[in-house]
Amino acid sequence: MNQATNPATSPATATAASAGSPASSPPGGKENPALTALQAALSAEHAAVYGYGVVGGRIAEDRRAQARQAHDAHRARRDALRRAVRRMGGTPEPAAAAYSMPYPVPDGAAAVRLAAELEERVAAVYADLVRAGEGGLRREAAAALREAAVRAARWRGTGVPFPGLAERAAPAGPESL
């Protein structure tokens, strides 16, 4: 887990890295925002799949089925995103060999926090894909955003007013400025 990519930064890093890569730029050199957002979502799903491997190893027995279902959902979304990237003429971004966790995950309580954080991070990337996509792509991104927000709320025990939009979810007040 000392390797390379942090789930907190991997979607942003993937977006920045793929913005100038052949995978997201058509032959004319013009950036394709939808393809760039797809690659970022794919990177976030890679991180979530890895992260749920960590969650599954630490989660209490009573929440193991919930973690397994989330892991399966992220694997399915990851595979669908790979196909979508190819349909748009891109080369899907590969998963990193390992991802750094945002904090130590020594027990079930930390695993629950990590699961909620993974879902919130995935939701944020899908919010970007909703903005960049059109038609069916936008609908699928909105569905993925909704699913991630619901899973995050289940893990946390509470929801946020604007899932996927961190700047809108923060409480108003001097400390949030």
Side-chain angles (χ1 to χ4, degrees):
M1 288 204 296
N2 295 336
Q3 163 44 4
T5 311
N6 182 330
T9 58
S10 64
T13 303
T15 301
S18 66
S21 73
S24 63
S25 298
K30 294 181 183 176
E31 184 178 320
N32 181 339
L35 184 54
T36 300
L38 266 173
Q39 293 282 26
L42 177 57
S43 292
E45 290 292 6
H46 285 314
V49 167
Y50 183 92
Y52 269 103
V54 174
V55 169
R58 302 283 192 270
I59 198 76
E61 181 67 35
D62 63 330
R63 299 199 76 182
R64 197 161 289 150
Q66 182 181 358
R68 189 174 301 113
Q69 289 169 348
H71 183 257
D72 291 345
H74 286 292
R75 285 183 27 216
R77 286 278 178 202
R78 177 203 61 198
D79 295 346
L81 287 168
R82 285 179 177 155
R83 290 187 299 272
V85 167
R86 284 189 196 100
R87 278 193 305 272
M88 291 187 81
T91 301
E93 295 288 331
Y99 294 83
S100 297
M101 295 297 104
Y103 44 79
V105 185
D107 56 27
V112 168
R113 281 193 319 275
L114 177 61
E117 189 163 332
L118 290 168
E119 297 298 347
E120 289 170 356
R121 291 173 182 192
V122 166
V125 176
Y126 278 114
D128 292 340
L129 186 54
V130 168
R131 181 176 39 248
E134 295 178 357
L137 178 60
R138 179 175 281 165
R139 280 189 297 279
E140 281 300 311
L145 168 59
R146 182 184 66 245
E147 291 167 9
V150 168
R151 282 190 300 266
R154 285 183 180 148
W155 285 115
R156 286 227 191 273
T158 184
V160 296
F162 297 97
L165 301 175
E167 67 276 8
R168 303 249 191 251
E175 67 280 353
S176 65
L177 297 177

